[in-house]
Amino acid sequence: SDVRLKDMVADFPLGIDELMKLRPRVFRYNGLGGTKADGREYVGLLAHEVPPRLARYCRVSVDVQLRPEDTTPTKVMMLDHSSFPFVCVNALQQVEGRLTSVETQLSDFLCALEGVLEVGMATGERARRHPSKATIKSADIAVKRAESLLSK
């Protein structure tokens, strides 16, 4: 919505770290607190298991009559899922950034390896035609560069 309608505007910092801590569960309601014990299975999150940094944005405490005979309300935790799509947006952006970084590193590595192989092949060909200490040393250097790249 329009920024003019808001008092505070800040980046929402939560993403992949919090998302990876969530544990989707399969459950049935037990009939307490106004739920219907119909045996149907649901998928969701347990409010108690939401990571603390995310809980700040989504966990709420509500008063419910846990059992019909209860005379005082019981506080239970519920989840407001409205922040979850934004956690997912941030997580996707973080994963995309990591993937781009890995692609760049892989491309750089392959280019360097290609250069080492070309030097090694040219040096090896020269060494076959004209064996000398210099061509053997160049071949050794090319092998060491290749080993160095492979160890990264």
Side-chain angles (χ1 to χ4, degrees), residues 5 9-10 19 27 30-31 33 54 56 61-62 67 69 86-87 98 105 107-109 122 124 127 136 139 141 146-147:
L5 306 176
V9 178
L19 187 65
F27 64 92
N30 61 14
L54 180 56
R56 169 182 173 201
S61 179
V62 295
R67 294 173 183 80
E69 65 273 9
F86 304 105
V87 173
R98 291 177 187 175
Q105 290 173 9
S107 177
D108 291 349
F109 171 79
I136 292 170
I141 291 170
E147 287 172 346

mmCIF file of all heavy atoms in Angstrom, residues 5 9-10 19 27 30-31 33 54 56 61-62 67 69 86-87 98 105 107-109 122 124 127 136 139 141 146-147:
data_model
loop_
_atom_site.group_PDB
_atom_site.id
_atom_site.type_symbol
_atom_site.label_atom_id
_atom_site.label_comp_id
_atom_site.label_asym_id
_atom_site.label_seq_id
_atom_site.Cartn_x
_atom_site.Cartn_y
_atom_site.Cartn_z
ATOM 1 N N LEU A 5 0.832 6.269 3.949
ATOM 2 C CA LEU A 5 -0.059 5.777 4.993
ATOM 3 C C LEU A 5 0.703 5.082 6.124
ATOM 4 O O LEU A 5 0.078 4.535 7.038
ATOM 5 C CB LEU A 5 -1.067 4.793 4.395
ATOM 6 C CG LEU A 5 -1.886 5.311 3.202
ATOM 7 C CD1 LEU A 5 -2.764 4.209 2.644
ATOM 8 C CD2 LEU A 5 -2.712 6.520 3.613
ATOM 9 N N VAL A 9 9.107 2.676 7.893
ATOM 10 C CA VAL A 9 9.443 1.873 6.728
ATOM 11 C C VAL A 9 10.874 1.385 6.911
ATOM 12 O O VAL A 9 11.791 2.185 7.086
ATOM 13 C CB VAL A 9 9.325 2.687 5.416
ATOM 14 C CG1 VAL A 9 9.737 1.846 4.227
ATOM 15 C CG2 VAL A 9 7.908 3.215 5.242
ATOM 16 N N ALA A 10 11.032 0.071 6.932
ATOM 17 C CA ALA A 10 12.358 -0.532 7.089
ATOM 18 C C ALA A 10 12.382 -1.826 6.289
ATOM 19 O O ALA A 10 11.339 -2.398 5.981
ATOM 20 C CB ALA A 10 12.643 -0.813 8.563
ATOM 21 N N LEU A 19 13.590 -19.516 7.243
ATOM 22 C CA LEU A 19 12.797 -20.449 6.441
ATOM 23 C C LEU A 19 13.273 -21.883 6.641
ATOM 24 O O LEU A 19 12.467 -22.811 6.772
ATOM 25 C CB LEU A 19 12.880 -20.066 4.960
ATOM 26 C CG LEU A 19 11.982 -20.829 4.008
ATOM 27 C CD1 LEU A 19 10.514 -20.539 4.300
ATOM 28 C CD2 LEU A 19 12.304 -20.467 2.572
ATOM 29 N N PHE A 27 -1.115 -32.733 11.091
ATOM 30 C CA PHE A 27 -1.773 -32.842 12.394
ATOM 31 C C PHE A 27 -3.287 -32.962 12.228
ATOM 32 O O PHE A 27 -3.831 -32.721 11.147
ATOM 33 C CB PHE A 27 -1.437 -31.625 13.282
ATOM 34 C CG PHE A 27 -1.957 -30.323 12.727
ATOM 35 C CD1 PHE A 27 -3.209 -29.844 13.092
ATOM 36 C CD2 PHE A 27 -1.195 -29.582 11.844
ATOM 37 C CE1 PHE A 27 -3.683 -28.646 12.575
ATOM 38 C CE2 PHE A 27 -1.662 -28.382 11.323
ATOM 39 C CZ PHE A 27 -2.910 -27.924 11.687
ATOM 40 N N ASN A 30 -7.801 -31.608 17.961
ATOM 41 C CA ASN A 30 -8.267 -32.510 19.019
ATOM 42 C C ASN A 30 -9.589 -32.095 19.658
ATOM 43 O O ASN A 30 -10.056 -32.724 20.598
ATOM 44 C CB ASN A 30 -7.195 -32.666 20.096
ATOM 45 C CG ASN A 30 -6.854 -31.350 20.765
ATOM 46 O OD1 ASN A 30 -7.561 -30.367 20.641
ATOM 47 N ND2 ASN A 30 -5.732 -31.331 21.478
ATOM 48 N N GLY A 31 -10.186 -31.016 19.175
ATOM 49 C CA GLY A 31 -11.473 -30.575 19.714
ATOM 50 C C GLY A 31 -11.357 -29.530 20.814
ATOM 51 O O GLY A 31 -12.362 -28.937 21.205
ATOM 52 N N GLY A 33 -10.362 -25.890 22.560
ATOM 53 C CA GLY A 33 -10.278 -24.487 22.158
ATOM 54 C C GLY A 33 -11.167 -24.131 20.981
ATOM 55 O O GLY A 33 -10.865 -23.217 20.221
ATOM 56 N N LEU A 54 11.438 -14.917 13.820
ATOM 57 C CA LEU A 54 10.234 -14.878 12.989
ATOM 58 C C LEU A 54 8.979 -14.782 13.849
ATOM 59 O O LEU A 54 8.006 -14.126 13.462
ATOM 60 C CB LEU A 54 10.182 -16.115 12.087
ATOM 61 C CG LEU A 54 8.993 -16.247 11.153
ATOM 62 C CD1 LEU A 54 8.855 -15.020 10.258
ATOM 63 C CD2 LEU A 54 9.127 -17.507 10.312
ATOM 64 N N ARG A 56 8.336 -13.096 16.313
ATOM 65 C CA ARG A 56 8.035 -11.682 16.611
ATOM 66 C C ARG A 56 7.004 -11.112 15.626
ATOM 67 O O ARG A 56 6.201 -10.258 15.971
ATOM 68 C CB ARG A 56 9.337 -10.897 16.543
ATOM 69 C CG ARG A 56 9.184 -9.424 16.563
ATOM 70 C CD ARG A 56 10.514 -8.735 16.440
ATOM 71 N NE ARG A 56 10.303 -7.306 16.285
ATOM 72 C CZ ARG A 56 11.174 -6.480 15.767
ATOM 73 N NH1 ARG A 56 12.339 -6.945 15.373
ATOM 74 N NH2 ARG A 56 10.912 -5.215 15.648
ATOM 75 N N SER A 61 -0.814 -14.409 20.857
ATOM 76 C CA SER A 61 -1.417 -15.110 21.983
ATOM 77 C C SER A 61 -2.877 -14.696 22.056
ATOM 78 O O SER A 61 -3.196 -13.504 22.021
ATOM 79 C CB SER A 61 -0.681 -14.728 23.267
ATOM 80 O OG SER A 61 -1.258 -15.360 24.365
ATOM 81 N N VAL A 62 -3.752 -15.665 22.127
ATOM 82 C CA VAL A 62 -5.184 -15.376 22.225
ATOM 83 C C VAL A 62 -5.782 -16.152 23.393
ATOM 84 O O VAL A 62 -5.293 -17.210 23.773
ATOM 85 C CB VAL A 62 -5.937 -15.715 20.909
ATOM 86 C CG1 VAL A 62 -5.480 -14.831 19.772
ATOM 87 C CG2 VAL A 62 -5.770 -17.169 20.547
ATOM 88 N N ARG A 67 -11.737 -25.911 27.283
ATOM 89 C CA ARG A 67 -12.748 -26.974 27.431
ATOM 90 C C ARG A 67 -14.087 -26.329 27.740
ATOM 91 O O ARG A 67 -14.136 -25.277 28.378
ATOM 92 C CB ARG A 67 -12.340 -27.914 28.565
ATOM 93 C CG ARG A 67 -11.079 -28.692 28.277
ATOM 94 C CD ARG A 67 -10.616 -29.501 29.509
ATOM 95 N NE ARG A 67 -9.370 -30.189 29.219
ATOM 96 C CZ ARG A 67 -8.170 -29.623 29.239
ATOM 97 N NH1 ARG A 67 -8.035 -28.340 29.521
ATOM 98 N NH2 ARG A 67 -7.087 -30.319 28.949
ATOM 99 N N GLU A 69 -16.205 -26.846 29.950
ATOM 100 C CA GLU A 69 -16.450 -26.624 31.384
ATOM 101 C C GLU A 69 -15.551 -25.558 32.007
ATOM 102 O O GLU A 69 -15.742 -25.171 33.165
ATOM 103 C CB GLU A 69 -16.320 -27.948 32.162
ATOM 104 C CG GLU A 69 -14.936 -28.564 32.170
ATOM 105 C CD GLU A 69 -14.626 -29.482 30.988
ATOM 106 O OE1 GLU A 69 -15.405 -29.552 30.013
ATOM 107 O OE2 GLU A 69 -13.564 -30.120 31.026
ATOM 108 N N PHE A 86 6.805 -13.014 2.618
ATOM 109 C CA PHE A 86 7.934 -12.089 2.530
ATOM 110 C C PHE A 86 9.234 -12.757 2.974
ATOM 111 O O PHE A 86 10.307 -12.438 2.465
ATOM 112 C CB PHE A 86 7.624 -10.818 3.321
ATOM 113 C CG PHE A 86 6.349 -10.183 2.842
ATOM 114 C CD1 PHE A 86 5.189 -10.275 3.587
ATOM 115 C CD2 PHE A 86 6.303 -9.568 1.603
ATOM 116 C CE1 PHE A 86 4.000 -9.728 3.119
ATOM 117 C CE2 PHE A 86 5.124 -9.013 1.122
ATOM 118 C CZ PHE A 86 3.962 -9.097 1.880
ATOM 119 N N VAL A 87 9.132 -13.715 3.897
ATOM 120 C CA VAL A 87 10.291 -14.530 4.256
ATOM 121 C C VAL A 87 10.724 -15.319 3.020
ATOM 122 O O VAL A 87 11.914 -15.419 2.711
ATOM 123 C CB VAL A 87 9.972 -15.482 5.433
ATOM 124 C CG1 VAL A 87 11.121 -16.451 5.679
ATOM 125 C CG2 VAL A 87 9.655 -14.692 6.699
ATOM 126 N N ARG A 98 23.346 -16.306 -4.084
ATOM 127 C CA ARG A 98 24.353 -17.361 -3.874
ATOM 128 C C ARG A 98 24.593 -18.138 -5.163
ATOM 129 O O ARG A 98 25.736 -18.463 -5.490
ATOM 130 C CB ARG A 98 23.897 -18.311 -2.774
ATOM 131 C CG ARG A 98 23.892 -17.686 -1.396
ATOM 132 C CD ARG A 98 23.353 -18.645 -0.363
ATOM 133 N NE ARG A 98 23.207 -17.976 0.918
ATOM 134 C CZ ARG A 98 22.666 -18.544 1.989
ATOM 135 N NH1 ARG A 98 22.228 -19.787 1.933
ATOM 136 N NH2 ARG A 98 22.564 -17.873 3.115
ATOM 137 N N GLN A 105 31.984 -18.058 -9.936
ATOM 138 C CA GLN A 105 33.191 -18.774 -9.507
ATOM 139 C C GLN A 105 33.477 -19.960 -10.414
ATOM 140 O O GLN A 105 34.621 -20.212 -10.784
ATOM 141 C CB GLN A 105 33.037 -19.249 -8.063
ATOM 142 C CG GLN A 105 33.053 -18.136 -7.049
ATOM 143 C CD GLN A 105 32.730 -18.636 -5.644
ATOM 144 O OE1 GLN A 105 32.661 -19.826 -5.392
ATOM 145 N NE2 GLN A 105 32.535 -17.709 -4.729
ATOM 146 N N SER A 107 32.528 -20.348 -13.565
ATOM 147 C CA SER A 107 32.962 -19.842 -14.865
ATOM 148 C C SER A 107 34.429 -19.406 -14.820
ATOM 149 O O SER A 107 35.210 -19.728 -15.723
ATOM 150 C CB SER A 107 32.071 -18.669 -15.280
ATOM 151 O OG SER A 107 32.514 -18.121 -16.488
ATOM 152 N N ASP A 108 34.806 -18.687 -13.754
ATOM 153 C CA ASP A 108 36.200 -18.256 -13.601
ATOM 154 C C ASP A 108 37.129 -19.462 -13.511
ATOM 155 O O ASP A 108 38.207 -19.479 -14.118
ATOM 156 C CB ASP A 108 36.366 -17.387 -12.347
ATOM 157 C CG ASP A 108 35.679 -16.035 -12.471
ATOM 158 O OD1 ASP A 108 35.257 -15.673 -13.601
ATOM 159 O OD2 ASP A 108 35.546 -15.350 -11.439
ATOM 160 N N PHE A 109 36.727 -20.459 -12.755
ATOM 161 C CA PHE A 109 37.535 -21.664 -12.599
ATOM 162 C C PHE A 109 37.715 -22.372 -13.936
ATOM 163 O O PHE A 109 38.824 -22.775 -14.289
ATOM 164 C CB PHE A 109 36.888 -22.609 -11.576
ATOM 165 C CG PHE A 109 37.538 -23.959 -11.515
ATOM 166 C CD1 PHE A 109 38.728 -24.133 -10.833
ATOM 167 C CD2 PHE A 109 36.965 -25.050 -12.152
ATOM 168 C CE1 PHE A 109 39.341 -25.368 -10.781
ATOM 169 C CE2 PHE A 109 37.574 -26.299 -12.113
ATOM 170 C CZ PHE A 109 38.758 -26.463 -11.419
ATOM 171 N N ALA A 122 50.489 -27.097 -25.018
ATOM 172 C CA ALA A 122 51.503 -26.477 -25.875
ATOM 173 C C ALA A 122 52.902 -26.796 -25.354
ATOM 174 O O ALA A 122 53.807 -27.120 -26.128
ATOM 175 C CB ALA A 122 51.287 -24.965 -25.923
ATOM 176 N N GLY A 124 53.745 -29.383 -23.493
ATOM 177 C CA GLY A 124 53.978 -30.810 -23.714
ATOM 178 C C GLY A 124 54.361 -31.107 -25.153
ATOM 179 O O GLY A 124 55.259 -31.919 -25.425
ATOM 180 N N ALA A 127 57.861 -29.962 -25.648
ATOM 181 C CA ALA A 127 58.786 -30.866 -24.957
ATOM 182 C C ALA A 127 59.002 -32.139 -25.761
ATOM 183 O O ALA A 127 60.112 -32.685 -25.790
ATOM 184 C CB ALA A 127 58.255 -31.202 -23.565
ATOM 185 N N ILE A 136 60.471 -28.842 -19.784
ATOM 186 C CA ILE A 136 60.051 -29.730 -18.691
ATOM 187 C C ILE A 136 59.630 -28.880 -17.493
ATOM 188 O O ILE A 136 58.610 -29.141 -16.856
ATOM 189 C CB ILE A 136 61.171 -30.721 -18.329
ATOM 190 C CG1 ILE A 136 61.368 -31.706 -19.490
ATOM 191 C CG2 ILE A 136 60.848 -31.462 -17.043
ATOM 192 C CD1 ILE A 136 62.591 -32.584 -19.372
ATOM 193 N N ALA A 139 56.235 -27.372 -18.142
ATOM 194 C CA ALA A 139 55.194 -28.392 -17.968
ATOM 195 C C ALA A 139 54.918 -28.603 -16.488
ATOM 196 O O ALA A 139 53.762 -28.728 -16.070
ATOM 197 C CB ALA A 139 55.611 -29.697 -18.632
ATOM 198 N N ILE A 141 55.267 -26.394 -14.101
ATOM 199 C CA ILE A 141 54.543 -25.209 -13.639
ATOM 200 C C ILE A 141 53.067 -25.310 -14.013
ATOM 201 O O ILE A 141 52.177 -25.027 -13.199
ATOM 202 C CB ILE A 141 55.183 -23.913 -14.205
ATOM 203 C CG1 ILE A 141 56.552 -23.696 -13.565
ATOM 204 C CG2 ILE A 141 54.275 -22.712 -13.989
ATOM 205 C CD1 ILE A 141 57.375 -22.591 -14.206
ATOM 206 N N ALA A 146 47.378 -26.227 -12.374
ATOM 207 C CA ALA A 146 46.153 -27.039 -12.470
ATOM 208 C C ALA A 146 45.805 -27.638 -11.120
ATOM 209 O O ALA A 146 44.650 -27.609 -10.689
ATOM 210 C CB ALA A 146 46.311 -28.130 -13.519
ATOM 211 N N GLU A 147 46.792 -28.164 -10.419
ATOM 212 C CA GLU A 147 46.551 -28.733 -9.087
ATOM 213 C C GLU A 147 46.060 -27.676 -8.122
ATOM 214 O O GLU A 147 45.162 -27.905 -7.323
ATOM 215 C CB GLU A 147 47.839 -29.383 -8.556
ATOM 216 C CG GLU A 147 48.186 -30.672 -9.248
ATOM 217 C CD GLU A 147 49.569 -31.207 -8.842
ATOM 218 O OE1 GLU A 147 50.373 -30.451 -8.238
ATOM 219 O OE2 GLU A 147 49.828 -32.390 -9.140
#
